[in-house]
Amino acid sequence: MDEKKFFEMLVNNKNEVSNILNCNSYISQFGLSLTKEDAESLVVSKKNTLAKEERIEFSSKITEKLIFAFCDSPYIIEDIFVEYIGALQDIFYMYKNETLDEIIDDDLIEYMREEFNGECQGSLEFLEETCLDSFAREIRANTDGFIGSRKYE
Amino acid sequence: MSELYELEELVPIVAKLTDKYTSKESSSISYEKARMLMEAVNYSIEEFYNDNDNAVSSVTRIDAVLAYEKGYEKVINKVKKAKDLYDTIIKDFDAYNIICYYDTIIKGMPAFFMYYDAKFCPQDHILTLDYPTIISVQDKQGINAIYDYLYMINLEQIFLNKFNRQDVVKVLVKYNEDYKGLLINVANIVLRNLIMLSILGKKVDSLEIDKDDYQKIKQIINCNSKENIVEIFNKSIKEIVKWGYKDNNELLLYLSYGINDFYEELRNCVEYDCLNAMF
C-alpha cells in the first residue's frame, strides 16, 4: 500500500489561505493585517513543518487559532507578526509530538500564549527551549504511554 | 491495507476512527498514530474475513464499513472468549516454579486484559509471551495471538495436570537444575520422557527414565530410519492421549507438533553421547 498516498487522502485541508485572510477582520483592531502572500507563506511553512514533524492535519484551524491567540500580545508588532506565527506553528507541532499528543490543541496554545506573554517576555527561544521543554517533560512523566512514566515504575 | 478494498473505501473509516481517537480535540496526529489506526482498521476487517465461523464472509465481499464494524465486534467477542478461557486456566494453573511461565500467565495476562485496546490498537497484544509454547504464535497479532496462546496453555495444563506435581518437578530438575530461570516448555519436556517410556515399554505415569535406559534409546535411534522413529513417536503420543485424555484430538495435534525437533535433538544427543542432557 502506498502510505504517502493514504496520508494525503486523509488530509482534508481546503480554503486554508482564505481562512487565514478571514482573520484580518479581527486582528485589524490590534493594528495587524495579513496579505495573501503572508497567508500563502504560512500555509507553505505549516506544510513543511508537518512533514518535518511527521504529522497529518485533518483540519486547518491551528494557524487561525495561533493568530487569534497571539494577535493581542504586547510583544508582537506587525513587522514580525507573520514571522512569529510561522515560528509558533513550528513550535506547536514540535511540542504536540514532544507531549505525545497527550495535550489537546487548545490547551497547548493557551499554555504557549501565557508563557510567551509572561515568563518568556516575547522570546520564542525561551518559550521553545525552556518553558515548553519542562512542560513536555512533566506531561510525559505523567502519561501512560511513556516508558519512564510512573505507571510502569 | 486489506487487498479487498480500495484506498478510497478505507479512508473514511480511518478518518472516523481518528476523530474518535482525538475526541476532535486535536486537529493533527503523528504518522505513527495514523499508521496505528490504519492497522487497527485493517486488523478488524481481516478478522471479519478470516474468522472460521464466518463461512459466508470468506466468499462474499461486503461494504468496507460493515466489514470493519462486524470485524470489530468479532475482536471484542474474541477478547471475551479469551478472558473466559483464561479464567478456566487460572483455576488449576501450575507454573512448576518456572519464572517466565508464572510471569506470563499470572502477571502478564491480567495486564493484557486491562490494557488491550480493541478499538484503536487491536493489533498490539502488549505481552512478549516469554514462555514458549510448542507451536509459536509469532506470526499472529493482537487478540488472535493471545487467544491461540491461551488455548495452547490450556491444553498443556490439561496434559500436565494428569501427573503428580512432584514427578513433573523431578523431570524438570533432571533436565536442568536451574530450570526455574529457563525459557523452556514444560509439556514438551514431560512429553519427551513419556514417549521414551512408552517406547521402552515402561509405566508412563512415573515419568522417570534411568541411566540404564540410555543404551536402549541409543539402539532404537541407531537401528531405525528417521521416518520409522517419527512414526513410532506419533504412535506413542496417540497411545498417551488415548491412555489419559479420552482421545483429545486437539491435544494430540498440539503435542505432535514438536516431533521432528524431538527426533533431531535426540539424534544429536545419541551421536554425541549426552542423553543425560535430555532426560
Side-chain angles (χ1 to χ4, degrees):
Chain A
M1 191 208 60
D2 186 352
E3 192 179 73
K4 202 179 163 196
K5 193 182 165 197
F6 188 77
F7 287 163
E8 281 168 10
M9 288 171 80
L10 273 175
V11 178
N12 184 27
N13 290 351
K14 289 173 190 165
N15 312 320
E16 282 185 85
V17 173
S18 61
N19 287 344
I20 292 172
L21 289 175
N22 286 341
C23 299
N24 274 329
S25 58
Y26 180 75
I27 63 174
S28 59
Q29 60 182 308
F30 304 105
L32 302 168
S33 66
L34 291 162
T35 62
K36 196 179 173 205
E37 288 72 35
D38 292 338
E40 282 168 352
S41 79
L42 285 173
V43 171
V44 171
S45 152
K46 186 172 75 174
K47 274 184 185 156
N48 291 338
T49 306
L50 283 167
K52 187 181 145 214
E53 296 295 337
E54 299 202 330
R55 294 188 69 83
I56 304 168
E57 195 182 50
F58 300 98
S59 69
S60 56
K61 286 182 183 151
I62 291 306
T63 313
E64 289 106 285
K65 283 183 177 177
L66 287 169
I67 290 169
F68 288 133
F70 287 87
C71 64
D72 63 348
S73 167
Y75 301 103
I76 292 184
I77 54 168
E78 186 164 20
D79 291 352
I80 57 166
F81 186 56
V82 177
E83 184 196 329
Y84 267 47
I85 294 297
L88 286 163
Q89 280 185 154
D90 293 352
I91 294 171
F92 173 83
Y93 288 113
M94 181 185 176
Y95 278 95
K96 279 295 280 187
N97 278 347
E98 292 293 316
T99 54
L100 307 170
D101 286 308
E102 288 289 323
I103 184 158
I104 61 172
D105 292 351
D106 291 350
D107 287 356
L108 181 56
I109 291 173
E110 183 53 28
Y111 181 81
M112 285 166 68
R113 196 185 76 87
E114 268 179 28
E115 293 298 310
F116 182 79
N117 291 338
E119 202 178 348
C120 302
Q121 295 183 23
S123 166
L124 286 172
E125 287 77 19
F126 194 75
L127 175 71
E128 181 183 343
E129 290 163 17
T130 307
C131 297
L132 282 168
D133 187 61
S134 54
F135 179 64
R137 276 176 202 275
E138 202 176 312
I139 298 266
R140 288 197 300 263
N142 288 298
T143 187
D144 300 346
F146 186 61
I147 290 170
S149 66
R150 285 173 200 160
K151 197 167 190 175
Y152 290 97
E153 283 169 0
Chain B
M1 267 296 158
S2 177
E3 287 166 10
L4 271 169
Y5 296 101
E6 294 294 325
L7 224 46
E8 288 77 6
E9 292 175 277
L10 299 169
V11 167
I13 307 172
V14 180
K16 205 173 160 187
L17 194 63
T18 308
D19 272 352
K20 283 183 184 164
Y21 182 74
T22 60
S23 306
K24 294 195 176 180
E25 287 181 325
S26 197
S27 60
S28 60
I29 54 167
S30 61
Y31 284 2
E32 190 192 345
K33 295 289 177 208
R35 266 183 220 117
M36 180 189 90
L37 297 172
M38 234 156 55
E39 282 170 25
V41 170
N42 199 28
Y43 187 89
S44 289
I45 290 176
E46 276 176 9
E47 183 62 22
F48 173 69
Y49 283 102
N50 293 342
D51 196 333
N52 294 334
D53 305 336
N54 208 358
V56 181
S57 69
S58 60
V59 288
T60 320
R61 183 189 180 278
I62 63 166
D63 177 57
V65 178
L66 197 62
Y68 167 71
E69 282 168 1
K70 283 186 179 287
Y72 172 64
E73 268 174 44
K74 283 185 185 297
V75 170
I76 296 288
N77 288 337
K78 209 163 205 175
V79 175
K80 286 177 189 161
K81 251 171 91 180
K83 179 71 177 56
D84 292 343
L85 185 57
Y86 178 69
D87 290 341
T88 311
I89 292 169
I90 211 73
K91 279 177 199 161
D92 299 312
F93 178 75
D94 194 338
Y96 299 95
N97 309 325
I98 295 178
I99 297 165
C100 73
Y101 202 3
Y102 182 86
D103 284 354
T104 308
I105 304 299
I106 303 296
K107 292 185 188 169
M109 282 300 163
F112 166 80
F113 289 112
M114 201 180 288
Y115 295 113
Y116 181 62
D117 187 348
K119 189 150 199 92
F120 301 117
C121 198
Q123 66 277 13
D124 183 8
H125 50 264
I126 305 164
L127 305 179
T128 48
L129 303 175
D130 291 340
Y131 175 75
T133 44
I134 296 175
I135 303 173
S136 169
V137 291
Q138 263 184 345
D139 56 337
K140 301 203 168 171
Q141 284 184 299
I143 188 61
N144 286 325
I146 295 293
Y147 183 79
D148 288 0
Y149 187 80
L150 286 173
Y151 188 79
M152 289 186 272
I153 294 292
N154 189 38
L155 288 175
E156 283 191 11
Q157 288 290 314
I158 291 170
F159 173 66
L160 293 168
N161 283 346
K162 196 82 188 164
F163 304 99
N164 188 319
R165 186 177 195 276
Q166 295 307 318
D167 291 341
V168 175
V169 171
K170 221 159 140 188
V171 169
L172 293 171
V173 171
K174 212 172 161 200
Y175 177 81
N176 191 316
E177 277 184 17
D178 300 320
Y179 77 96
K180 292 176 188 175
L182 299 180
L183 300 176
I184 46 167
N185 184 279
V186 190
N188 212 14
I189 292 168
V190 171
L191 176 73
R192 288 171 178 197
N193 276 49
L194 281 176
I195 292 172
M196 290 324 296
L197 286 169
S198 161
I199 291 170
L200 294 167
K202 292 179 127 189
K203 272 187 175 180
V204 290
D205 48 2
S206 70
L207 290 177
E208 258 186 271
I209 290 183
D210 305 321
K211 283 187 178 168
D212 307 339
D213 297 325
Y214 291 171
Q215 204 50 42
K216 286 178 198 165
I217 295 172
K218 276 182 194 170
Q219 256 184 348
I220 293 167
I221 297 298
N222 288 330
C223 299
N224 286 286
S225 66
K226 182 184 174 181
E227 290 73 28
N228 275 352
I229 293 170
V230 168
E231 205 182 312
I232 294 167
F233 286 173
N234 276 319
K235 226 172 161 182
S236 309
I237 296 178
K238 269 183 197 167
E239 279 167 22
I240 292 162
V241 173
K242 201 174 175 185
W243 158 76
Y245 307 95
K246 297 174 189 166
D247 282 328
N248 184 335
N249 201 39
E250 285 144 358
L251 182 65
L252 176 69
L253 287 173
Y254 178 64
L255 295 177
S256 306
Y257 194 83
I259 286 296
N260 281 320
D261 287 348
F262 178 38
Y263 170 77
E264 296 301 341
E265 282 176 46
L266 195 59
R267 173 99 246 161
N268 265 335
C269 286
V270 167
E271 201 172 322
Y272 296 103
D273 200 21
C274 54
L275 277 169
N276 57 327
M278 205 161 187
F279 302 109

